[in-house]
């Protein structure tokens, strides 16, 4: 720990402010404010939990970025990237076929495809990694991973023997499947904290379909299509397809989780896996104070989202949370061992979530206030 003359060591380890700032932008803004207060030594560790921003977080921690172009959710070319450190590759749905890549933001629940994600996995395989981490958050599609599997060499045929494109609309038209020999020869890890099965009242269409623009009729069609898809895969030699469809997490990313399990992927907690992957424990050991946060701190945060995992693994160090807003009353801060919560809503009446520039300005101001407070504490 610090002595009276050494600068206070602060680890800034936030998640993204969804829809506003990346985790790296949040960390940079806070660090700028902290440093302006003096007597503070900052270490930045932008984080992710297996959702969107996972590739950026891995790159920020030292992985190399590899750029590629893949079909977006509607087939249009999009610039994507993966992260690779020579052993582990990180690929993500959000930057290949995510909701944020839909042209003009137009939701297409039946026609969006996961093919671009499959092509990013294929690219990662060309780098010969020991393992691939599959970050599944933010998908635009509900195709059960049909598009992803098509990119990896699967052929899905209709009753006339014609190949089908992988999307939700075609799930019910699949008559047979032609799978490539020797599927994936590396370790696959699904880093996710989604526990929904593929189908049914808690499945991907019912729970996540409406967020992707699915009407009640679309939800019913997608659920029936996925059920049929599983049946065809079972008949096509994947005898465990039905049990995998029931597996917690199979419904993540519109059923891409199911396709990953079908390929032999193992599933782990996204928050804790990324904290390990990005070497959080070593980074925090050299610091006196940990700052974490996300766009909204609420009941879901307490249920195990990334800031809660950071707090749990920070030991006895003071933990400060910074968020766009907080729905967590002060009396519940001890559940995350929080010494203080700063929110952007305390500093403006404007909607900072729609104004990244304002968010950065407020985070710098908050960072300076935190730095001044830590400076007054001196060595802890």
């Amino acid at each position: 720990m610090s002595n009276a003359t050494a600068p206070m060591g602060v680890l800034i380890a936030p998640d993204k402010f969804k829809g506003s700032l990346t985790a790296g932008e949040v960390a940079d803004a806070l660090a700028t404010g902290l440093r302006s207060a003096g007597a503070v030594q900052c270490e930045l560790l932008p984080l992710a939990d297996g959702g969107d921003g996972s590739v950026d977080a891995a790159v920020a921690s030292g992985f190399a970025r590899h750029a590629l172009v893949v079909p977006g959710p509607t087939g249009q070319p999009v610039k994507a990237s993966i992260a690779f450190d020579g052993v582990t590759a990180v690929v993500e749905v959000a930057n290949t076929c995510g909701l944020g890549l839909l042209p003009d933001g137009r939701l297409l629940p039946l026609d969006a495809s996961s093919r671009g994600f499959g092509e990013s996995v294929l690219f990662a395989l060309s780098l010969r990694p020991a393992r691939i981490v599959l970050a599944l958050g933010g998908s635009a599609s509900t195709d059960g991973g049909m598009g992803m599997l098509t990119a990896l060499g699967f052929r899905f045929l209709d009753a006339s023997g014609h190949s089908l494109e992988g999307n939700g609309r075609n799930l019910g038209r699949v008559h047979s499947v032609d799978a490539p020999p020797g599927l994936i020869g590396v370790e696959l890890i699904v880093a996710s904290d989604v526990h929904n099965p593929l189908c049914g009242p808690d499945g991907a269409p019912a729970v996540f379909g409406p967020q992707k623009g699915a009407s009640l009729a679309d939800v019913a069609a997608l659920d029936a299509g996925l059920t049929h898809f599983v049946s065809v895969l079972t008949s096509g030699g994947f005898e465990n397809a039905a049990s995998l469809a029931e597996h917690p997490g199979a419904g993540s990313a519109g059923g891409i989780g199911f396709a990953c399990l079908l390929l032999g992927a193992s599933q782990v907690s996204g928050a804790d896996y990324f904290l390990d992957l990005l070497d959080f424990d070593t980074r925090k050991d050299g610091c006196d104070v940990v700052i974490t946060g996300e766009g909204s701190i609420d009941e879901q945060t307490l249920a195990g989202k990334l800031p809660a995992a950071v707090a749990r693994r920070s030991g006895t160090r003071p933990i400060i949370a910074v968020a766009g807003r907080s729905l967590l009353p002060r009396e519940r801060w001890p559940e995350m061992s929080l010494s203080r919560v700063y929110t952007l809503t305390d500093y403006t009446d404007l909607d900072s979530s729609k104004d990244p520039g304002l968010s950065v300005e407020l985070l710098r101001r908050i960072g300076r206030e935190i730095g001044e407070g830590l400076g007054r504490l001196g060595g802890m």
Side-chain angles (χ1 to χ4, degrees):
M1 303 292 280
S2 300
N3 57 44
T5 58
M8 185 79 71
V10 180
L11 176 63
I12 306 174
D15 199 352
K16 62 189 173 297
F17 281 23
K18 192 167 186 176
S20 178
L21 298 175
T22 67
E25 289 168 338
V26 173
D28 285 340
L30 286 169
T32 297
L34 277 156
R35 288 167 178 150
S36 71
V40 174
Q41 183 173 323
C42 299
E43 179 162 4
L44 280 61
L45 184 62
L47 294 174
D49 60 2
D52 48 325
S54 295
V55 167
D56 286 342
V59 170
S61 74
F63 282 55
R65 186 186 298 277
H66 293 259
L68 68 157
V69 175
V70 300
T74 59
Q76 82 285 13
V78 299
K79 294 179 181 179
S81 62
I82 73 166
F84 185 50
D85 69 350
V87 177
T88 300
V90 179
V91 300
E92 76 175 51
V93 166
N95 76 17
T96 54
C97 54
L99 279 166
L101 299 174
L102 287 165
D104 302 318
R106 182 173 168 232
L107 300 174
L108 295 167
L110 297 177
D111 297 307
S113 173
S114 61
R115 182 180 181 97
F117 181 64
E119 292 199 10
S120 73
V121 173
L122 202 61
F123 178 82
L125 286 168
S126 73
L127 301 177
R128 304 179 69 85
R131 71 185 63 84
I132 301 176
V133 179
L134 307 157
L136 302 188
S139 72
S141 63
T142 307
D143 69 353
M146 181 182 174
M148 169 195 173
L149 293 172
T150 300
L152 294 174
F154 282 67
R155 292 181 68 227
F156 297 99
L157 311 174
D158 64 15
S160 301
H162 298 129
S163 294
L164 294 166
E165 292 183 9
N167 57 44
R169 192 181 298 278
N170 283 336
L171 288 166
R173 299 178 57 202
V174 178
H175 180 73
S176 62
V177 56
D178 180 12
L183 300 178
I184 304 292
V186 303
E187 181 185 9
L188 297 176
I189 296 172
V190 173
S192 172
D193 292 304
V194 172
H195 303 295
N196 302 75
L198 182 63
C199 304
D202 297 319
V207 175
F208 304 113
Q211 301 169 15
K212 304 174 186 184
S215 65
L216 288 176
D218 293 337
V219 167
L222 289 167
D223 197 70
L226 287 170
T227 300
H228 172 77
F229 186 57
V230 172
S231 175
V232 172
L233 284 164
T234 301
S235 301
F238 292 89
E239 297 177 359
N240 62 342
S243 62
L244 291 177
E246 294 291 332
H247 192 280
S252 59
I256 297 176
F258 165 72
C260 294
L261 294 172
L262 201 73
L263 295 173
S266 58
Q267 187 168 326
V268 299
S269 162
D272 279 307
Y273 186 83
F274 268 83
L275 288 178
D276 290 338
L277 183 68
L278 305 181
D279 202 21
F280 172 81
D281 288 343
T282 299
R283 305 284 187 95
K284 57 93 171 157
D285 283 346
C287 293
D288 303 295
V289 177
V290 174
I291 300 175
T292 188
E294 61 181 344
S296 177
I297 291 180
D298 48 37
E299 289 287 341
Q300 290 187 353
T301 306
L302 292 177
K305 290 179 71 177
L306 193 59
V310 168
R312 187 180 70 248
R313 292 171 60 156
S314 293
T316 59
R317 293 166 183 79
I319 303 161
I320 298 170
V322 180
R325 65 170 188 171
S326 175
L327 303 179
L328 202 64
R330 189 183 187 101
E331 58 268 21
R332 302 199 65 184
W333 292 2
E335 295 179 44
M336 279 178 58
S337 302
L338 298 177
S339 59
R340 180 73 188 270
V341 176
Y342 291 85
T343 65
L344 303 191
T345 54
D346 289 336
Y347 291 79
T348 182
D349 293 327
L350 301 174
D351 185 358
S352 62
S353 68
K354 297 179 180 178
D355 188 341
L358 175 61
S359 295
V360 167
E361 178 186 333
L362 296 175
L363 286 168
R364 288 174 177 169
R365 179 176 167 186
I366 289 170
R368 183 173 181 85
E369 288 189 17
I370 294 173
E372 290 171 345
L374 295 177
R376 286 192 294 269
L377 288 176
M380 295 182 64

